[in-house]
Amino acid sequence: MRHDLSYLTMLEAEAIFIMREAVAEFERPVLLFSGGKDSAVLLRLAEKAFRPGRFSFPIMHIDTGHNFPEALAFRDRRVAELGEHLIVRSVEDSIRRGRVAPEPGPRASRNRLQTATLLDAIAEFRFDAVFGGARRDEERSRAKERVFSHRDEFGSGTRVPSGQSRGASTTRGSARASTCASSRCRTGPSSTSGATSRGRGWSCPRSTSRTPAR
C-alpha cells in the first residue's frame, strides 16, 4: 500500500473500486442524484470510475417537491453535461395516489415520505443495487453503514461494514429477491462530502431544500 496518498485520495480510490465491483456484479444498478452535495460526490466518483465510457446504469432523483429551483437546475445541467439518462419520480405523485400522507404543520418535511416513492421506483425498474450518499451523523443507524446495506423484500436490512466486503459478491446471490444499497459517502461527519467536493474542485449547490430544519 502506498503511504504517500492523502486520506481523501484513499477514500476516493476505494469508492471507485466499490462502484466498479457493484456494476460488474449486479444486473440493474441505479445511482441516486438530487443535486445535493452527497449525491454530487457520488456522481463525480461515477465519472472517475467509468469515463470515458457511458454509465451502464441510469441516474434517478426522488423529488420531494421541496427543492430549490437552483438545485433542480444544477441537477439537470450536470446530467445534460454527462449525456446520461435521468429518471425522476415524485413524492407529490405518491401523495396524489394515496401511497403516503403528508405531515401537517408549518415545519412539515417530506424527507421520510421519499421512502415509499423510492421503493416503488425500485420495483418499477427492477433495480437490484442502489448507489446513494448519506451523512453518518444524520441518523444513528447510518453510522454503522460504511459500504453495503442488504435490503430484503420487507425493507429490512443487514449492514455489511467496511473491511468485511471489498465488493458486491457477498450479497449478489440474493439480488433478485432483494436490493443492495451501496454508498461510500457514509464515512464521516456532515462536512465530509462537502469538503471532498470542494477539495477536488467539484461543483455543487450551496443549498438544495426548502424544508425547515428541525
Side-chain angles (χ1 to χ4, degrees), residues 36-128:
K37 62 183 180 181
D38 299 315
S39 59
V41 170
L42 279 180
L43 187 64
R44 180 58 178 150
L45 288 170
E47 282 189 84
K48 291 199 167 192
F50 303 111
R51 283 304 193 242
R54 294 286 300 275
F55 295 167
S56 59
F57 50 83
I59 299 168
M60 184 166 68
H61 179 206
I62 304 302
D63 186 2
T64 63
H66 286 176
N67 299 290
F68 285 114
E70 293 83 357
L72 297 180
F74 174 79
R75 177 201 69 186
D76 294 340
R77 185 173 70 252
R78 287 293 291 124
V79 173
E81 289 170 354
L82 294 172
E84 298 293 346
H85 176 53
L86 174 66
I87 298 169
V88 178
R89 288 297 178 267
S90 170
V91 172
E92 186 65 39
D93 288 342
S94 298
I95 293 173
R96 291 196 188 102
R97 292 187 289 111
R99 286 283 289 129
V100 293
E103 297 179 9
R107 300 178 67 84
S109 170
R110 290 187 174 182
N111 290 342
R112 296 179 182 177
L113 305 185
Q114 293 179 91
T115 301
T117 308
L118 173 61
L119 292 176
D120 288 347
I122 289 173
E124 177 185 355
F125 294 98
R126 296 182 292 115
F127 294 130
D128 57 3

Side-chain angles (χ1 to χ4, degrees), residues 98-172:
R99 286 283 289 129
V100 293
E103 297 179 9
R107 300 178 67 84
S109 170
R110 290 187 174 182
N111 290 342
R112 296 179 182 177
L113 305 185
Q114 293 179 91
T115 301
T117 308
L118 173 61
L119 292 176
D120 288 347
I122 289 173
E124 177 185 355
F125 294 98
R126 296 182 292 115
F127 294 130
D128 57 3
V130 179
F131 294 108
R135 283 159 280 166
R136 63 189 304 185
D137 65 342
E138 286 184 327
E139 185 179 332
R140 289 182 179 179
S141 62
R142 289 179 176 177
K144 300 178 182 179
E145 297 185 359
R146 297 299 297 274
V147 178
F148 282 100
S149 297
H150 184 227
R151 296 291 191 263
D152 59 25
E153 63 270 30
F154 301 106
S156 59
T158 302
R159 300 178 183 88
V160 182
S162 180
Q164 291 187 13
S165 171
R166 292 294 298 179
S169 57
T170 56
T171 55
R172 178 64 185 89

